[in-house]
Amino acid sequence: MEYKFTIIVPLFNEEENLLRVEKELANYLDIAIKNSCVLFVNDGSNDNSLAIIKEICNRQNAFHYISFEKNQGLSAAIKAGFDYAATEYIGYIDSDLQTDPEDFNLLLDKIEDYELVTGVRSNRKDSFVKNMSSRIANGIRRSFTHDKMDDTGCPLKVIKSDYAKRIPMFKGLHRFLPAMILLQNGKILQIPVRHYPRIAGKAKFHLTNRLVGPLLDCFAYLWMKKKYINYKVIDKA
């Protein structure tokens, strides 16, 4: 089967969630509006995640994995997914499944006219502190990037592969994916998607790395924006 869409699943120590991830994504592949496959990116887990991933990939033909030597962080895992995906479109979803794989169809339905379509978590099921820190961080980021995106931390996105592979990733830049598409003169869109409480595993982000890190990353983004090289080849032989 020729796949058109790769779903990246970055994960670190998510052994309690992975069988549920397998079930939900396998169900989604049956209804996906583009032929789709799954790429697990194991970010150096030190629990039983890698062994479970291998079992899943052995019984699911459309599931594949890559595994890091050691933990590198979410941006590195997403970047590796971009590098290893071989389809026209790339998306990603968190392994906690607080967003619904079925909502990928909402994003894929719009991707032809845009270079990135991202979800916006409606009626978020997180704690007050988590919601407020996310809202503050998004406000700070918008003031730097002017990308008009309300929820860049939403772990449900679809990107055209050629644009994704040109993003120069560094730690923390996963929050700036819409802005990085704008630097390539691409078009972006946000669409409301469903959100659910986490029912297993532990969140990897807390108040400090939701606020302090993103603020520092904003200055890195401004430096990159000033130095960014953008070109388009119109002829070759």
Side-chain angles (χ1 to χ4, degrees):
M1 180 183 296
E2 181 181 357
Y3 297 116
K4 297 292 185 180
F5 178 48
T6 299
I7 301 170
I8 299 167
V9 186
L11 63 105
F12 175 68
N13 290 350
E14 291 284 359
E15 61 182 4
E16 297 175 45
N17 276 315
L18 288 173
L19 294 181
R20 179 168 158 255
V21 170
E22 176 190 11
K23 177 182 177 182
E24 294 297 325
L25 287 178
N27 288 340
Y28 170 69
L29 297 187
D30 289 336
I31 64 168
I33 61 176
K34 295 185 184 295
N35 291 338
S36 303
C37 59
V38 175
L39 176 63
F40 289 113
V41 182
N42 177 42
D43 185 17
S45 296
N46 51 35
D47 64 357
N48 202 38
S49 292
L50 180 56
I52 296 172
I53 290 169
K54 289 180 177 180
E55 293 174 0
I56 292 171
C57 292
N58 282 336
R59 60 177 171 257
Q60 300 282 358
N61 290 334
F63 286 61
H64 310 277
Y65 77 92
I66 58 176
S67 186
F68 287 174
E69 178 183 15
K70 60 182 180 180
N71 181 246
Q72 297 288 346
L74 180 56
S75 290
I78 293 173
K79 169 61 173 170
F82 288 172
D83 290 343
Y84 278 81
T87 52
E88 185 177 358
Y89 304 102
I90 303 173
Y92 76 85
I93 188 171
D94 276 356
S95 54
D96 58 21
L97 288 183
Q98 286 191 259
T99 49
D100 195 322
E102 289 187 11
D103 286 344
F104 272 126
N105 281 349
L106 300 176
L107 310 187
L108 287 169
D109 186 55
K110 301 292 185 183
I111 193 61
E112 299 293 341
D113 298 321
Y114 296 88
E115 279 62 57
L116 176 146
V117 182
T118 181
V120 179
R121 291 167 287 189
S122 58
N123 192 22
R124 286 185 63 173
K125 306 299 183 181
D126 291 323
S127 68
F128 174 80
V129 171
K130 188 174 181 180
N131 284 336
M132 285 305 298
S133 61
S134 179
R135 184 175 297 180
I136 293 169
N138 273 298
I140 293 171
R141 178 198 43 73
R142 270 196 312 272
S143 69
F144 278 78
T145 64
H146 306 290
D147 61 9
K148 300 180 181 179
M149 295 287 105
D150 297 315
D151 185 17
T152 60
C154 178
L156 198 74
K157 291 179 172 62
V158 175
I159 311 174
K160 287 181 177 174
S161 180
D162 53 343
Y163 281 76
K165 291 178 182 295
R166 290 197 296 263
I167 295 175
M169 296 285 281
F170 59 81
K171 288 185 178 180
L173 198 65
H174 61 273
R175 303 181 184 94
F176 294 81
L177 291 179
M180 296 306 297
I181 297 300
L182 291 177
L183 285 186
Q184 300 181 53
N185 298 320
K187 293 183 292 182
I188 60 179
L189 178 69
Q190 56 183 3
I191 294 176
V193 297
R194 291 169 285 184
H195 190 248
Y196 306 104
R198 175 186 269 269
I199 63 174
K202 295 181 179 179
K204 308 305 186 292
F205 292 93
H206 47 74
L207 186 60
T208 300
N209 61 22
R210 285 182 182 277
L211 293 179
V212 178
L215 177 58
L216 297 176
D217 293 341
C218 284
F219 292 101
Y221 166 78
L222 289 182
W223 176 88
M224 182 173 291
K225 182 178 181 180
K226 184 177 180 180
K227 302 292 185 179
Y228 189 75
I229 296 172
N230 190 30
Y231 67 89
K232 184 175 182 180
V233 174
I234 61 170
D235 195 12
K236 65 179 181 179

